[in-house]
Amino acid sequence: AQSVTQLGSHVSVSEGALVLLRCNYSSSVPPYLFWYVQYPNQGLQLLLKYTSAATLVKGINGFEAEFKKSETSFHLTKPSAHMSDAAEYFCAVSERNRDDKIIFGKGTRLHILP
Amino acid sequence: EPEVTQTPSHQVTQMGQEVILRCVPISNHLYFYWYRQILGQKVEFLVSFYNNEISEKSEIFDDRFSVERPDGSNFTLKIRSTKLEDSAMYFCASRGLAGETQYFGPGTRLLVL
């Protein structure tokens, strides 16, 4: 069975500081990995995805994530936080080669301090 | 850019009533999904649908729930005999034949009173 663990339900960073949101996954087969962002009262927007090409994945809004198989991790980073980055971030996993469900982590709410 | 749309954006109903949540997936997509998110909790898978039948469903998707693709564009989630605990945001998603990315709609917030 697949699962996702996001460390830290709330993370606060200062504007301009590095953003690091941690995600570890468990999967018995090679996974697809995703980061979705949810702004207040809005739906889910795909930030980036890992599908077996490059292990360092670049997404929208300056975010990137690195797939580390040995650590079963897919942490999300951004070099310099903006106030507009304040949102809920969900790490997610699904099985490759199947029309399968996405399993979401519990989410990390990112707060940006002025 | 094509997007998934959902109606209504908000739905309030009395416990025991039936509700139908509607979704229009991206036009060339073939896989369809419903997820829900109870307030303050994580997004949970409900059901996946392909080739006019359910591919997989979670234990949340009990016999009060049903899905249908009544025509070539809509994908609906029906909940009969609604319960207070059905109150949540319901997201529809769709995926293309060769793609791995599910695209999510903006959600329908359901409140059962």
Side-chain angles (χ1 to χ4, degrees), chain A residues 28-105:
Chain A
S28 57
V29 300
Y32 290 133
L33 294 162
F34 309 86
W35 277 98
Y36 283 87
V37 61
Q38 185 179 33
Y39 297 102
N41 299 314
Q42 294 189 27
L44 296 165
Q45 181 181 4
L46 181 68
L47 265 182
L48 50 79
K49 62 185 179 185
Y50 166 76
T51 59
S52 84
T55 55
L56 182 63
V57 181
K58 294 187 184 297
I60 62 172
N61 301 337
F63 284 93
E64 61 183 37
E66 186 172 8
F67 171 68
K68 291 187 176 180
K69 184 178 179 180
S70 61
E71 299 177 7
T72 61
S73 68
F74 191 58
H75 302 330
L76 181 71
T77 60
K78 181 174 179 177
S80 177
H82 293 166
M83 296 300 291
S84 59
D85 294 328
E88 186 98 20
Y89 292 80
F90 293 95
C91 182
V93 63
S94 72
E95 288 190 15
R96 195 173 299 179
N97 299 324
R98 290 190 59 183
D99 56 328
D100 210 357
K101 59 185 178 288
I102 290 178
I103 303 299
F104 285 84

Side-chain angles (χ1 to χ4, degrees), chain B residues 52-69:
Chain B
N52 282 320
E53 61 183 29
I54 290 174
S55 304
E56 186 175 358
K57 59 183 180 180
S58 71
E59 26 181 71
I60 302 169
F61 195 89
D62 62 30
D63 57 8
R64 299 180 301 113
F65 290 78
S66 61
V67 289
E68 188 179 31
R69 189 156 163 82

